[in-house]
C-alpha cells in the first residue's frame, strides 16, 4: 500500500515538474515512478507491489475477455431459432477462503452474462452458481477454477 501511494506521489511530482497534467503525462509519470521503485525496491518492498499490480491487471484483462466472450455466446444463443438450453444450478467448491476473495469471485461470476452466483454455503467452502446452459457443469467448474479463481489467488495472496 505504501508503494502504491509513493508511486502516485511520484506520478504527481512528474506532472508538476513537466508542467502538464494530461492523462498521458500522468500515466507516463506513473510508469516512470514504478520503474524508479523497481530500481530501489529494497527499502520500499516494491517488487511485491509491481507483481501484485501486474496480477491485478491480468485479472482485469481476463474479466474483460470473459465478459466479451460470454456476451457474444449469450447473444448468439438468444438469437438462434432453437434454444437447446439446459439451465441449472451447480455447486462450485471454493479454493479461495477470505471474504473479499469469495465476494470478488461471486461478483465476477454474476457480472459475466449467462451465469449468476446464487449463494455461498455457511462453511464458505461452496459457491452455488446458476448457469444458462448447464449441460456440462464440470467444464464450467474447470473454467471458473482455472480462470477467475486462479487469477484472484495470484493477485491477492
Amino acid at each position: 500500500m505504501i508503494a502504491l501511494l509513493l508511486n502516485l506521489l511520484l506520478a504527481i511530482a512528474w506532472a508538476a515538474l513537466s508542467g502538464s497534467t494530461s492523462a498521458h503525462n500522468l500515466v507516463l509519470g506513473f510508469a516512470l515512478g514504478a520503474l524508479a521503485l523497481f530500481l530501489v525496491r529494497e527499502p520500499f518492498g516494491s517488487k511485491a507491489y509491481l507483481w501484485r499490480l501486474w496480477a491485478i491487471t491480468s485479472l482485469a484483462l481476463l474479466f474483460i475477455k470473459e465478459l466479451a466472450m460470454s456476451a457474444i455466446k449469450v447473444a448468439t444463443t438468444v438469437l438462434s431459432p432453437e434454444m437447446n438450453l439446459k439451465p441449472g444450478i451447480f455447486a462450485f467448491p471454493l479454493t479461495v477462503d477470505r471474504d473479499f476473495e469469495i465476494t470478488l469471485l461471486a461478483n465476477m461470476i454474476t457480472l459475466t452474462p449467462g451465469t449468476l452466483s446464487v449463494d455461498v454455503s455457511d462453511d464458505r467452502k461452496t459457491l452455488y452458481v446458476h448457469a444458462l446452459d448447464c449441460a456440462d457443469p464440470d467444464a464450467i467448474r474447470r473454467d471458473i477454477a482455472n480462470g477467475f479463481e486462479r487469477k484472484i489467488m495470484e493477485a491477492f495472496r
Side-chain angles (χ1 to χ4, degrees), residues 56-117:
I56 290 172
T57 303
S58 176
L59 174 64
L61 292 174
L62 173 70
F63 176 68
I64 291 168
K65 179 187 124 195
E66 289 293 326
L67 184 67
M69 288 178 19
S70 295
I72 291 169
K73 184 177 178 183
V74 168
T76 304
T77 301
V78 169
L79 295 174
S80 68
E82 293 182 17
M83 284 199 262
N84 296 327
L85 298 176
K86 294 185 180 176
I89 296 176
F90 64 91
F92 177 74
L94 292 169
T95 305
V96 294
D97 55 356
R98 295 187 298 184
D99 288 339
F100 170 76
E101 294 170 340
I102 294 170
T103 303
L104 182 61
L105 177 63
N107 284 331
M108 291 180 109
I109 290 170
T110 297
L111 290 172
T112 305
T115 55
L116 175 71
S117 299

Side-chain angles (χ1 to χ4, degrees), residues 123-137:
D123 62 357
R124 298 176 9 195
K125 296 201 183 292
T126 306
L127 178 67
Y128 296 99
V129 179
H130 178 274
L132 184 63
D133 190 6
C134 198
D136 189 5

Side-chain angles (χ1 to χ4, degrees), residues 3-36:
L4 174 64
L5 293 175
L6 191 55
N7 197 355
L8 289 173
L9 182 64
L10 288 171
I12 292 169
W14 172 262
L17 289 173
S18 66
S20 172
T21 57
S22 68
H24 291 94
N25 198 37
L26 287 171
V27 170
L28 177 64
F30 191 82
L32 289 173
L35 178 65

Side-chain angles (χ1 to χ4, degrees), residues 39-50:
L39 293 174
V40 294
R41 65 184 168 266
E42 285 302 318
F44 301 106
S46 65
K47 184 176 181 184
Y49 161 70
L50 292 175

